[in-house]
């Protein structure tokens, strides 16, 4: 895990506020958490990229597990194992939180469970690359709606062009139910981003994340039991499920929560457009899903959009920084 806020008992002031309320400057919030400087600004970007690599290779592993446990069973194992690990590691304090704090955690947990459940219904029907390509439309839409700078619309538009190119210019050949599940998962992904940031403001370190994972696991457990039954306690299935949980939940969610403490949420949402490229790579390496020339070009567009968004943010911080005599 990354370095927590200076005062563990106080929510970090570095969580950007553009999604929760219109007040406050996200760049100023970033400055407060980072202390300025290019090196600090690249830290949360690295966290996001590492989280993306982890979650997509975990998703590829989950696809290989579905014949043993089913889509709902894989989600149940992922959430349950991740919740147990996070609760044991974080040992979150249960007292001293307001009703609003608990409401935020419950909604965050529900969004997390919904995002996972819908996504695994998607990859049970369509390939991993197109699945994440459709899913990422949710964060991209969030970026456009939340942004207060015109240039961010340009980067979001460029990333969106890459997303559609990665999908082959259209999704006519995909299973309609799989595409619908992917779009719904994207909507839940956007909600996950919003409530991830709000949870980071209300709870120290990763306590809120651990509690939200527990909520998500409890919500999904009945569905997994109904679909998979005794398959959930098979030793091999449990071992593979634990691997999926660590790669797809524990590591990436923690990294993303820490990144959202120090990175404006609109920029974070644009960076999420890297997920289709990472998913395509994971599909190629793990599931033998080869990339076409068009898909490679799409990856270049998405990477360019993400780099542009980050460079715009860093450049604006430099212009606003006071001169040091």
């Amino acid at each position: 895990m990354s370095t927590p806020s200076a005062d563990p008992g106080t929510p970090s002031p570095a969580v950007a506020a553009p999604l929760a309320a219109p007040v406050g400057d996200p760049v100023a919030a970033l400055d407060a958490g980072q202390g300025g400087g290019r090196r600090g600004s690249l830290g949360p970007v690295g966290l996001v990229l590492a989280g993306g690599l982890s979650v997509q290779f975990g998703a590829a592993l989950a696809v290989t597990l579905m014949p043993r446990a089913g889509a709902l069973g894989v989600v149940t194992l992922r959430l349950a194992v991740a919740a147990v690990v996070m609760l044991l590691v974080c040992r979150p304090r249960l007292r001293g939180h307001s009703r609003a704090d608990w409401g935020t955690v419950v909604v965050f947990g529900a969004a997390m469970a919904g995002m996972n459940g819908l996504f695994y219904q998607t990859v049970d029907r369509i390939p991993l690359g197109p699945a994440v390509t459709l899913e990422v439309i949710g964060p991209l839409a969030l970026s456009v709606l939340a942004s207060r700078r015109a240039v961010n619309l340009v980067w979001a538009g460029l990333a969106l062009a890459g997303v559609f190119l990665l999908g082959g210019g259209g999704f006519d050949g995909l299973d309609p139910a799989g595409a619908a599940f992917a779009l719904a998962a994207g909507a839940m992904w956007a909600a996950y981003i919003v409530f991830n940031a709000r949870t980071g403001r209300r709870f120290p370190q990763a306590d809120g994340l651990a509690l939200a994972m527990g909520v998500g696991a409890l919500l999904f457990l009945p569905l997994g039991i109904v679909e998979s039954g005794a398959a959930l306690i098979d030793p091999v299935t449990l071992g593979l499920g634990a691997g999926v949980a660590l790669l797809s939940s524990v590591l990436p969610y923690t990294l993303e929560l820490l990144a959202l403490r120090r990175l404006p949420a609109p920029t974070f949402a644009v960076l999420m457009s890297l997920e289709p490229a990472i998913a395509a790579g994971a599909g190629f390496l793990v599931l033998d899903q080869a990339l076409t020339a068009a898909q490679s070009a799409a990856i270049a567009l998405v990477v360019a959009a993400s780099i542009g968004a980050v460079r715009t943010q860093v450049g604006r911080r430099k212009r606003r920084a006071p001169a040091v005599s």
Side-chain angles (χ1 to χ4, degrees):
M1 296 184 185
S2 184
T3 304
S5 57
D7 180 4
T10 304
S12 171
V15 178
L19 301 182
V23 298
D25 185 345
V27 176
L30 182 64
D31 288 338
Q34 297 284 40
R38 177 179 294 271
R39 182 173 153 188
S41 68
L42 294 178
V45 175
L47 293 176
V48 174
L49 295 179
L53 285 169
S54 182
V55 74
Q56 296 307 330
F57 278 90
L61 177 60
V63 171
T64 66
L65 179 58
M66 285 181 185
R68 301 181 63 94
L72 297 179
V74 172
V75 178
T76 300
L77 287 173
R78 169 179 169 173
L79 290 175
V81 173
V84 170
V85 171
M86 289 296 296
L87 290 170
L88 288 176
V89 170
C90 297
R91 299 180 184 178
R93 182 166 50 88
L94 299 180
R95 296 182 179 179
H97 302 299
S98 68
R99 183 176 298 179
D101 293 341
W102 284 111
T104 300
V105 160
V106 170
V107 176
F108 183 25
M112 191 184 304
M115 178 180 68
N116 282 297
L118 291 166
F119 177 72
Y120 282 111
Q121 289 296 320
T122 301
V123 295
D124 197 31
R125 293 168 170 81
I126 62 178
L128 184 60
V132 180
T133 299
L134 280 171
E135 187 192 23
V136 83
I137 291 175
L140 281 170
L142 174 64
S143 176
V144 172
L145 293 173
S147 174
R148 293 180 294 175
R149 298 196 67 209
V151 69
N152 286 335
L153 301 180
V154 175
W155 301 128
L158 185 61
L160 187 60
V163 163
F164 280 107
L165 185 58
L166 188 62
F171 299 91
D172 298 337
L174 297 179
D175 177 82
F181 279 126
L183 292 172
M188 297 304 294
W189 192 357
Y192 160 81
I193 293 173
V194 173
F195 284 93
N196 193 337
R198 294 184 182 181
T199 299
R201 284 195 295 271
R202 292 180 175 273
F203 292 84
Q205 301 180 51
D207 286 9
L209 175 63
L211 293 170
M213 280 188 173
V215 170
L218 289 175
L219 290 175
F220 222 91
L221 185 60
L223 298 176
I225 292 175
V226 168
E227 179 178 88
S228 304
L232 294 176
I233 58 175
D234 174 75
V236 176
T237 301
L238 274 174
L240 292 173
V244 171
L246 293 174
L247 286 173
S248 295
S249 293
V250 176
L251 182 59
Y253 290 170
T254 301
L255 293 176
E256 289 173 7
L257 183 143
L258 295 171
L260 275 166
R261 292 181 186 272
R262 296 180 283 163
L263 192 68
T267 302
F268 177 89
V270 174
L271 283 170
M272 288 293 96
S273 63
L274 285 171
E275 295 287 350
I278 298 171
F284 173 73
L285 293 174
V286 180
L287 304 173
D288 295 324
Q289 297 172 351
L291 290 171
T292 65
Q295 289 171 336
S296 298
I299 290 172
L301 284 176
V302 171
V303 170
S306 299
I307 293 174
V310 174
R311 287 183 64 87
T312 298
Q313 173 198 345
V314 173
R316 187 183 180 200
R317 289 179 58 227
K318 282 187 173 182
R319 289 192 299 271
R320 290 171 60 95
V324 178
S325 58

